[in-house]
Amino acid sequence: MSNPWFRMYAEFMNDPKVQMLSEIDQRRYIMLLCARCNGDETLHETEAAFLLRISDEEYLATKARLMAKNLIDDDNRPVAWDKRQYASDSSTARVAAHRERMKRPCNVTVTPPDTDTDTDTDTDIKSITPLTPLGGLSADETSQPTRPKRQPKPKAAVDLT
């Protein structure tokens, strides 16, 4: 699984059994949650100690404190994992269904080519009101549009010598 994740509830902040632990033990508990999320269902004490980068003796003391609060079991697994991490949290099935829907042609109605769709929205050029250079209406709003004046072509130089 790429980039796995797990639910961490806000009650962690106020849960007495968590908050009565030292910050070190809280961090170690979170690391065990991360290990479980990565698929490590059961860890031997030596593996858990290595994961937490502590000695085996330190881990045994940590494990005893976490077990006393009923946060992990004797196999170093989080006790309430299955209760808090739903199977529906996996997006794999949802993404597969979405991609399958995107492969199917969408339900678009196409107008047959022999159908007349002209709605008479053509605009007569005479009804357009000229604009000033700044984009507002010209002083004479009723005047007809005029073609821009063409610049005179430069006359060829005549050699008089």
Side-chain angles (χ1 to χ4, degrees):
M1 175 189 280
S2 66
N3 207 14
W5 62 279
F6 65 93
R7 290 180 182 264
M8 175 99 177
Y9 292 84
E11 71 180 296
F12 185 90
M13 172 176 69
N14 296 315
D15 187 343
K17 67 182 177 180
V18 172
Q19 293 307 311
M20 290 171 63
L21 292 169
S22 69
E23 288 181 354
I24 292 171
D25 284 342
Q26 289 178 31
R27 180 188 181 282
R28 291 174 182 174
Y29 174 61
I30 292 172
M31 294 298 287
L32 291 172
L33 292 174
C34 291
R36 173 62 180 91
C37 180
N38 280 333
D40 299 330
E41 296 214 18
T42 57
L43 293 172
H44 186 272
E45 277 78 12
T46 304
E47 294 170 323
F50 176 77
L51 175 77
L52 299 174
R53 308 300 192 261
I54 59 177
S55 69
D56 290 353
E57 295 76 26
E58 278 184 280
Y59 181 71
L60 290 175
T62 300
K63 178 180 178 179
R65 290 188 296 270
L66 296 178
M67 285 180 64
K69 299 288 183 180
N70 198 32
L71 293 173
I72 65 170
D73 63 17
D74 194 44
D75 291 327
N76 306 303
R77 289 183 299 210
V79 171
W81 183 264
D82 292 333
K83 174 181 148 189
R84 294 180 177 253
Q85 307 303 321
Y86 319 139
S88 66
D89 282 346
S90 173
S91 63
T92 305
R94 190 173 60 248
V95 170
H98 171 72
R99 288 180 179 157
E100 185 60 34
R101 282 192 307 272
M102 298 312 291
K103 287 180 185 177
R104 288 186 239 143
C106 54
N107 296 331
V108 175
T109 304
V110 178
T111 306
D114 61 328
T115 304
D116 183 18
T117 58
D118 188 10
T119 58
D120 294 330
T121 57
D122 296 335
T123 304
D124 186 4
I125 190 73
K126 293 178 184 177
S127 66
I128 296 175
T129 305
L131 299 176
T132 64
L134 297 177
L137 295 174
S138 67
D140 183 10
E141 292 182 353
T142 61
S143 69
Q144 297 299 321
T146 58
R147 292 186 179 186
K149 293 183 180 181
R150 293 185 182 170
Q151 296 292 333
K153 292 182 181 178
K155 293 183 181 181
V158 178
D159 188 16
L160 299 175
T161 56

